[in-house]
Amino acid sequence: MAKRNPGKDDAPRSCRARAAGDLIGDIGGQSFKRFGFVQSSIVSRWGEIVGQRYAKVSSPESIKFPAGKKAGGVLTLLVEGAHAPLIQHLTPMIVDRVNRFFGYAAINRIVFRQGKIPGPAPRPERPQLRPVPKGLGEGLREIADPELRTCLESLAAQIAASSGPPSLPQDGDDPLRPINRSH
């Protein structure tokens, strides 16, 4: 078996937990580049770039650069209908702030597209915790992790419903039938 040479993309193992944001940046980077975003942070930090007031009604869609260049690009913004004229008047300010964010003259102009801004994803509702029955013991009430407590409650209920501890077959019992290989 041949040894595998680690490539430049292979991260060394570090025996530590990594933040989810570190992993998402690498995974989402390719899809962001596909839509023209050199840095995915322009989408995630849009509120910091233009301010929360304008971020509520606008969202960056793509950045298109001239062939072979990373400067003088066109930023496409999705803007809610009635706010488009206001945002259009703020074009010089937005170009300045985006270029300041990049650190160089990345954007020359902005193209507007009217549409509905997708809202933040709704948070899932957390299940309500049920009280632990007294018959299962007071020890389960002290467990803070709801998933672990649920598993232990289920285990305790199954043990309570069984006919006692498991038993091994005695010498006289024959739990396994002999295999007949004469066919």
Side-chain angles (χ1 to χ4, degrees):
M1 184 186 231
K3 279 190 170 180
R4 182 174 167 247
N5 292 331
K8 67 175 184 174
D9 294 335
D10 292 342
R13 294 182 178 229
S14 62
C15 297
R16 66 174 177 84
R18 292 175 57 187
D22 294 343
L23 301 173
I24 296 299
D26 295 339
I27 295 169
Q30 293 301 319
S31 59
F32 279 119
K33 285 180 184 175
R34 183 173 155 229
F35 290 102
F37 291 109
V38 179
Q39 295 179 341
S40 60
S41 58
I42 191 172
V43 177
S44 60
R45 297 176 65 187
W46 184 244
E48 295 174 32
I49 295 170
V50 297
Q52 290 300 323
R53 178 179 179 188
Y54 303 123
K56 289 179 183 176
V57 296
S58 66
S59 174
E61 275 192 333
S62 67
I63 300 175
K64 299 208 189 300
F65 293 105
K69 296 184 180 180
K70 292 294 180 192
V74 177
L75 172 66
T76 304
L77 282 182
L78 178 65
V79 182
E80 288 192 7
H83 298 278
L86 171 68
I87 299 293
Q88 191 171 6
H89 285 293
L90 297 173
T91 298
M93 181 208 56
I94 294 172
V95 168
D96 181 49
R97 288 186 180 186
V98 170
N99 287 340
R100 194 175 333 143
F101 175 77
F102 279 114
Y104 64 97
I107 304 299
N108 277 353
R109 65 186 187 103
I110 298 178
V111 173
F112 297 98
R113 193 175 73 78
Q114 290 186 0
K116 184 82 173 145
I117 303 298
R123 291 187 172 187
E125 292 185 29
R126 294 185 177 257
Q128 297 296 325
L129 299 177
R130 296 184 314 251
V132 178
K134 286 191 175 190
L136 295 180
E138 293 295 319
L140 291 178
R141 292 180 188 272
E142 299 171 4
I143 298 174
D145 185 16
E147 188 175 343
L148 176 61
R149 184 174 52 239
T150 303
C151 289
L152 291 174
E153 287 174 2
S154 172
L155 178 63
Q158 289 177 359
I159 290 173
S162 69
S163 60
S167 61
L168 297 174
Q170 300 299 324
D171 291 332
D173 296 341
D174 192 15
L176 299 175
R177 299 180 313 191
I179 299 174
N180 186 3
R181 297 182 190 256
S182 62
H183 297 305

